[in-house]
Amino acid sequence: MQGEKGMELIVDSNKIIATLLKSGKVRTLFYSGIKLIVLKYSIDEIISNEKLIRRFGKEFLTKAFKFFVLQNPNVILVDHSNINKGTRKLAMEIANQFDSKDAPFIALALQLNTPIWTNDKKIIEYGLKSGKYLALDTQAVEELIQGKNLEEIKQKLKEKYLN
């Protein structure tokens, strides 16, 4: 991974939801200048989430997504169907061990060799144990943006999630 300017991260749906619904660290990082890869799958997942619709309304979620995500010049929107079929199959095999809904993010991470930004403990743990992909929590992303060494960050993640 390159320095801050060349950094790319795949953003899981929960980080997008955090960006949409409240001001804070996640929204600040979302606008920090790093390239953020967002799956179109996330749009559907968020806008069709019954709990969020009941709480905020579909119209609000749609407008918030357009404003906070689609208008961010650092967001790259990717269609899941563009991911190699073999990679999608492998990602599904991995994700089925904890949550099949995570397969699109894992598939993209495998294909692009790009970390996933998530706080999903199971995604992070499996990535650290297997070495097949890398998943970073918000603290690790913050440290990466601050210029800290990726190997040191991975070591901290192992201590936090695998011990």
Side-chain angles (χ1 to χ4, degrees):
M1 182 176 297
Q2 303 137 356
E4 181 180 336
K5 296 295 180 193
M7 189 183 318
E8 291 184 344
L9 297 171
I10 297 161
V11 185
D12 89 347
S13 298
N14 289 324
K15 294 292 130 202
I16 295 169
I17 291 169
T19 299
L20 299 180
L21 301 183
K22 62 183 176 182
S23 180
K25 185 186 295 190
V26 173
R27 189 180 289 173
T28 300
L29 292 173
F30 208 83
Y31 286 94
S32 66
I34 57 176
K35 292 291 180 194
L36 301 169
I37 302 169
V38 173
L39 281 160
K40 287 184 180 179
Y41 165 84
S42 291
I43 298 170
D44 298 332
E45 186 178 40
I46 293 166
I47 294 175
S48 66
N49 183 301
E50 291 298 323
K51 184 178 175 185
L52 291 174
I53 290 171
R54 277 194 303 274
R55 185 167 176 202
F56 298 101
K58 191 167 189 151
E59 185 178 340
F60 169 82
L61 290 173
T62 303
K63 285 180 180 179
F65 193 90
K66 287 177 183 173
F67 180 78
F68 288 113
V69 179
L70 299 181
Q71 291 185 5
N72 182 335
N74 294 308
V75 168
I76 301 164
L77 205 55
V78 174
D79 191 327
H80 180 64
S81 65
N82 292 334
I83 301 170
N84 174 291
K85 188 176 178 180
T87 303
R88 288 194 317 240
K89 183 179 179 204
L90 174 59
M92 184 56 81
E93 290 170 7
I94 292 169
N96 279 339
Q97 297 179 46
F98 43 89
D99 187 350
S100 62
K101 290 181 183 178
D102 295 328
F105 305 102
I106 294 168
L108 195 55
L110 293 170
Q111 182 160 312
L112 300 179
N113 194 28
T114 300
I116 303 168
W117 176 16
T118 183
N119 278 13
D120 186 317
K121 184 178 179 180
K122 293 183 181 189
I123 294 175
I124 295 169
E125 285 176 352
Y126 188 91
L128 292 169
K129 287 177 186 175
S130 70
K132 292 181 181 179
Y133 61 86
L134 178 61
L136 304 171
D137 63 15
T138 299
Q139 181 180 348
V141 169
E142 192 172 36
E143 290 175 0
L144 199 58
I145 289 169
Q146 293 169 355
K148 296 198 176 162
N149 179 288
L150 182 60
E151 291 307 314
E152 290 175 26
I153 293 170
K154 284 199 288 192
Q155 186 56 42
K156 278 186 179 179
L157 285 170
K158 286 178 182 176
E159 291 168 9
K160 182 176 181 179
Y161 290 97
L162 301 181
N163 290 333

